[in-house]
Amino acid sequence: MNIVVCIKQVPDAKDVRLDPETNTLSRDGVKSVINPYDRHAMEEGVRLKEEFGGRVTVVSMGPPQAKAILQEAISCGADDAILVSDRAFAGSDTLATTYTLSQAIKKTGGVDLVLCGKQATDGDTAQVGPGLAVRLDMAYVTCVKKINTVTDKVVVLERMMDDGYDEVEVDLPALLTVVKEVNTPRFPSIRGLRKARAYDIPSYTAADIGADPAQLGLGGSPTQVVRVWPPEPKGNRTMLEGSVDEIAEKLAEIFHESSIG
Amino acid sequence: MAPNRTVINMLIIDNDACIGCGLCEDNCPFDAIHVEEGKAVVGDECTLCGTCVDHCEVGAITIEKEEVAGIDLDAWSGVWVYAEYRNGRIAPVTHELLGIGTDLAAKRGVKLAAVLLCESAGDVPAELIASGADLVYTVEDTALKDFTDDAYGNALEDLALKYKPEIILAGATAIGRSFIPRVATTLGTGLTADCTNLEIGDDGHLHQTRPAFGGNIMATIMCPNHRPQMSTVRPMVMQANEPDASRSGEVISESVDPARLVSRCRVVKSVYSEGSQVNLSEADVVVSGGRGLENAEGFRLVEDLADLLGGAVGATRAAVDADWITYPHQVGQTGKTVASKLYVACGISGAIQHVIGMKSSETIVAINRDEKAAIFDVADYGVVGDVFEILPAVIDKLKNR
């Protein structure tokens, strides 16, 4: 089974904050990490390969620095890694991103299964997985929490719904987006670290993937960000003080008032 | 006549004009531009957001734009709401979308339509009309009994191509977030996820506002050159209209080519959670617990309080990882996002990964032993105290009310 896992480098959530003076995102000391959901997609890919054979190729679209997360993916069991990187991709929205990724994945050829995290923690759109499936003309299922059985024709899995879950059978080739419940990712192995150190990650440009320039980057993106600003700060909080009984009485009142109306 | 549209290609720095002052570097939100040897140099992180262009005082930075033929925007008219219907129930967000949709349609001087995809419509169209729809397009087919992305996506795509609406709204629910991106991709148009505000601007376009970076910033997004303009909208944010059974509207029964309703996915079975306890994103009240509850037994206090308030139970990742409660209850970065009227955080420290999933709630009450806990920074009301004393006392008070 040939598996492609798409991963994204995102700023570590705990470091992201808005500079109060310039109202821009302060990146000072912000570490870049693998998008948390993508770790679960990687792990699922490696587990399926271990059970059914085949290869796991990790693909990331991003600046050259994103090689770091691809190295990490190799150390966690991926066989191959590809960086898709070009200045022409700058300003891509999800439509341009899915086009770019699909062109890169088509170049790898013969894919049975594509795995993505449910969403990336910087954009939070959850749109790249479904869009990519359309571009690759694959069936897809989002928010997969468990893979039950895999044959050479279908995957039977469970997807999270708002009101419970569905058991779904999906034809291969398919794209799945996963939530964290699907597995517990492993840590890099010594062997993996050694392999990652020796692995030279190829970088595909727009020309390498045979991309139509009109569909790339900001020019290929129907959506445009017209304004960015910090959210309204919370008003002053009120600390409740007194005896346990007094506090409980005040809380009961607040609960009553806030939950109605 | 199709208007020309502007395609933006590349950031250009005029080295003769650049004085190396560094204003661009200081203001770049993405740390993508740097002054090297007295001149600005743009790096790969550049997203072409244009902030540096605005800040450059000598006009040394421009974004190269190119005019290409666009689509005829006037050919697309009307506001559509995807009416989510599952397990015999209209998702509450549908009524909220009809609420905001009423405003948008009025501002544009067009009709508001709901699109219902299901096995059998029954009284649902009447309910949608009472909530504000002028038109209801229904597609009834056994192939639409269960939700699959292929069949639902193809049906909505075909209707959109037939009637050409200028706006399509859907709930940012499990279903909406799954198949709406498919429709946007096949239509080749823009989609903005998780909107919290929608307005028609003076330019006639839809201005879509959403939180980004886990709510640390807000962004307004437009889709100026493509149609339809598509948004998924967070539940519990928009105001539904008061249902009016006397409203009249037209129900238009549509059929879709059966071949387009054949899905490559089949739902084997649906398992519904008991009650509404688990659907956090629709809950008015969420009571959440974290590590401070100490163990599964301690966590029961959170469940008791949620029961008394008619609310849903939330949890931090720590509580889920400790198996005190299941994953569907997790609130935060790798769990769900809630925007409840009341959010009660019990024994939760307030790590950013949790906070970004609940900070847009209307009233936040935090109870924690540690007065320095970060959760108090986002709280409206705070109690420094022991959850094992405070919660039983509140539960007692509520029972006696």
Side-chain angles (χ1 to χ4, degrees):
Chain A
M1 173 170 273
N2 285 325
I3 300 167
V4 166
V5 183
C6 298
I7 67 175
K8 184 181 185 188
Q9 194 176 41
V10 297
D12 199 345
K14 63 179 188 294
D15 297 336
V16 176
R17 48 186 61 86
L18 211 67
D19 184 322
E21 280 171 25
T22 59
N23 280 343
T24 55
L25 285 180
S26 165
R27 298 268 175 137
D28 290 342
V30 178
K31 271 194 314 194
S32 288
V33 295
I34 298 179
N35 173 43
Y37 285 104
D38 298 348
R39 287 189 175 279
H40 299 277
M42 265 164 42
E43 175 65 26
E44 202 57 31
V46 173
R47 285 185 192 197
L48 290 171
K49 179 199 81 167
E50 285 168 350
E51 198 175 340
F52 301 101
R55 289 188 83 73
V56 174
T57 306
V58 226
V59 177
S60 187
M61 171 178 157
Q65 298 88 302
K67 277 194 178 173
I69 59 165
L70 290 166
Q71 298 279 3
E72 198 178 332
I74 296 276
S75 71
C76 291
D79 299 291
D80 295 300
I82 296 164
L83 177 69
V84 190
S85 189
D86 198 311
R87 280 288 305 280
F89 304 152
S92 293
D93 71 359
T94 55
L95 194 75
T97 299
T98 58
Y99 173 71
T100 308
L101 280 173
S102 69
Q103 288 294 114
I105 291 170
K106 282 175 189 166
K107 196 178 149 90
T108 68
V111 178
D112 303 298
L113 189 66
V114 179
L115 296 167
C116 302
K118 172 195 162 197
Q119 64 195 50
T121 54
D122 52 354
D124 282 331
T125 71
Q127 286 167 198
V128 168
L132 181 57
V134 172
R135 302 277 196 183
L136 295 169
D137 192 23
M138 285 182 180
Y140 71 93
V141 181
T142 61
C143 296
V144 173
K145 70 183 188 85
K146 190 163 180 249
I147 291 180
N148 290 333
T149 51
V150 180
T151 70
D152 54 353
K153 295 245 172 20
V154 297
V155 178
V156 180
L157 50 81
E158 292 172 11
R159 70 171 172 206
M160 272 181 83
M161 300 298 286
D162 291 325
D163 54 6
Y165 69 92
D166 283 348
E167 189 177 307
V168 177
E169 181 187 81
V170 56
D171 295 341
L172 289 173
L175 181 146
L176 311 177
T177 79
V178 301
V179 297
K180 71 161 211 168
E181 200 179 3
V182 78
N183 58 40
T184 305
R186 71 191 68 187
F187 292 102
S189 65
I190 299 288
R191 221 178 108 224
L193 286 167
R194 250 190 236 122
K195 188 183 168 198
R197 210 173 306 142
Y199 191 92
D200 190 19
I201 294 167
S203 182
Y204 291 178
T205 63
D208 292 336
I209 58 174
D212 166 15
Q215 297 192 55
L216 297 177
L218 205 53
S221 299
T223 60
Q224 294 176 10
V225 178
V226 290
R227 196 162 81 93
V228 173
W229 76 97
E232 300 277 313
K234 270 264 174 193
N236 285 343
R237 68 170 182 269
T238 309
M239 297 304 287
L240 307 181
E241 279 158 13
S243 67
V244 168
D245 188 67
E246 286 162 359
I247 289 173
E249 186 60 44
K250 283 182 204 159
L251 282 176
E253 205 167 301
I254 293 164
F255 291 167
H256 183 69
E257 278 172 15
S258 323
S259 57
I260 54 171
Chain B
M1 244 303 274
N4 283 347
R5 68 188 182 92
T6 306
V7 171
I8 304 168
N9 286 328
M10 199 54 84
L11 194 77
I12 312 284
I13 296 162
D14 179 350
N15 271 338
D16 296 332
C18 178
I19 54 171
C21 67
L23 274 176
C24 52
E25 179 169 342
D26 293 346
N27 286 291
C28 176
F30 299 98
D31 195 24
I33 192 161
H34 297 278
V35 175
E36 290 170 18
E37 295 172 11
K39 299 289 173 195
V41 177
V42 64
D44 293 312
E45 299 84 355
C46 177
T47 68
L48 299 174
C49 72
T51 307
C52 56
V53 179
D54 297 340
H55 280 93
C56 182
E57 291 179 351
V58 295
I61 311 175
T62 47
I63 291 179
E64 188 184 273
K65 297 175 180 181
E66 180 188 336
E67 298 271 307
V68 299
I71 66 153
D72 181 5
L73 301 183
D74 294 335
W76 298 74
S77 167
V79 176
W80 279 17
V81 164
Y82 165 66
E84 184 172 324
Y85 182 68
R86 171 174 157 93
N87 194 23
R89 169 177 179 268
I90 302 174
V93 69
T94 303
H95 298 292
E96 298 160 20
L97 294 174
L98 289 169
I100 182 72
T102 301
D103 298 344
L104 300 176
K107 189 87 193 280
R108 291 290 298 152
V110 297
K111 286 193 170 166
L112 174 64
V115 178
L116 177 65
L117 311 173
C118 58
E119 186 180 25
S120 166
D123 297 333
V124 176
E127 277 187 62
L128 299 171
I129 289 167
S131 274
D134 300 312
L135 298 165
V136 180
Y137 297 106
T138 59
V139 181
E140 294 169 275
D141 197 299
T142 48
L144 297 168
K145 176 172 174 285
D146 297 312
F147 167 71
T148 64
D149 294 278
D150 283 349
Y152 275 55
N154 287 341
L156 185 57
E157 181 198 344
D158 287 0
L159 290 188
L161 286 172
K162 181 172 173 187
Y163 290 103
K164 294 190 167 25
E166 64 197 270
I167 292 172
I168 301 181
L169 309 178
T173 57
I175 288 176
R177 280 166 56 104
S178 191
F179 92 103
I180 296 296
R182 175 193 170 89
V183 178
T185 306
T186 52
L187 294 174
T189 190
L191 168 61
T192 304
D194 287 348
C195 296
T196 55
N197 191 37
L198 296 172
E199 278 170 8
I200 302 292
D202 295 336
D203 49 20
H205 296 298
L206 182 64
H207 292 225
Q208 310 162 91
T209 297
R210 71 179 301 255
F213 281 98
N216 285 323
I217 56 172
M218 302 298 289
T220 298
I221 294 167
M222 279 169 58
C223 177
N225 304 310
H226 296 72
R227 290 293 181 270
Q229 305 162 92
M230 297 181 68
S231 323
T232 61
V233 179
R234 280 213 181 144
M236 307 288 292
V237 176
M238 304 299 178
Q239 191 68 45
N241 299 324
E242 199 59 47
D244 176 2
S246 68
R247 281 191 89 248
S248 59
E250 194 182 348
V251 181
I252 300 162
S253 178
E254 289 286 331
S255 60
V256 170
D257 176 2
R260 296 276 288 158
L261 299 181
V262 175
S263 180
R264 292 167 290 185
C265 308
R266 295 155 297 278
V267 175
V268 181
K269 64 173 179 189
S270 294
V271 178
Y272 299 105
S273 307
E274 291 158 32
S276 59
Q277 285 298 294
V278 172
N279 196 353
L280 284 173
S281 46
E282 286 177 6
D284 283 334
V285 178
V286 175
V287 184
S288 268
R291 220 187 287 270
L293 275 310
E294 292 181 3
N295 51 45
E297 200 187 331
F299 202 85
R300 298 289 89 80
L301 285 171
V302 169
E303 296 173 343
D304 291 348
L305 180 57
D307 268 347
L308 278 170
L309 294 173
V313 177
T316 62
R317 177 175 167 173
V320 171
D321 286 353
D323 279 335
W324 300 343
I325 186 138
T326 55
Y327 174 62
H329 293 270
Q330 187 182 319
V331 173
Q333 190 180 59
T334 49
K336 288 184 174 161
T337 302
V338 302
S340 49
K341 286 202 181 103
L342 172 66
Y343 191 91
V344 188
C346 310
I348 291 176
S349 64
I352 184 76
Q353 287 88 345
H354 181 73
V355 166
I356 61 184
M358 47 65 85
K359 68 194 280 191
S360 42
S361 295
E362 225 166 275
T363 302
I364 296 171
V365 177
I367 306 165
N368 199 297
R369 240 182 331 219
D370 176 8
E371 60 180 301
K372 293 199 184 73
I375 192 72
F376 291 124
D377 295 341
V378 295
D380 298 284
Y381 297 97
V383 176
V384 178
D386 185 346
V387 286
F388 295 107
E389 284 181 12
I390 307 283
L391 289 181
V394 181
I395 288 168
D396 220 40
K397 294 272 180 205
L398 290 168
K399 278 185 179 159
N400 293 327
R401 264 189 177 234

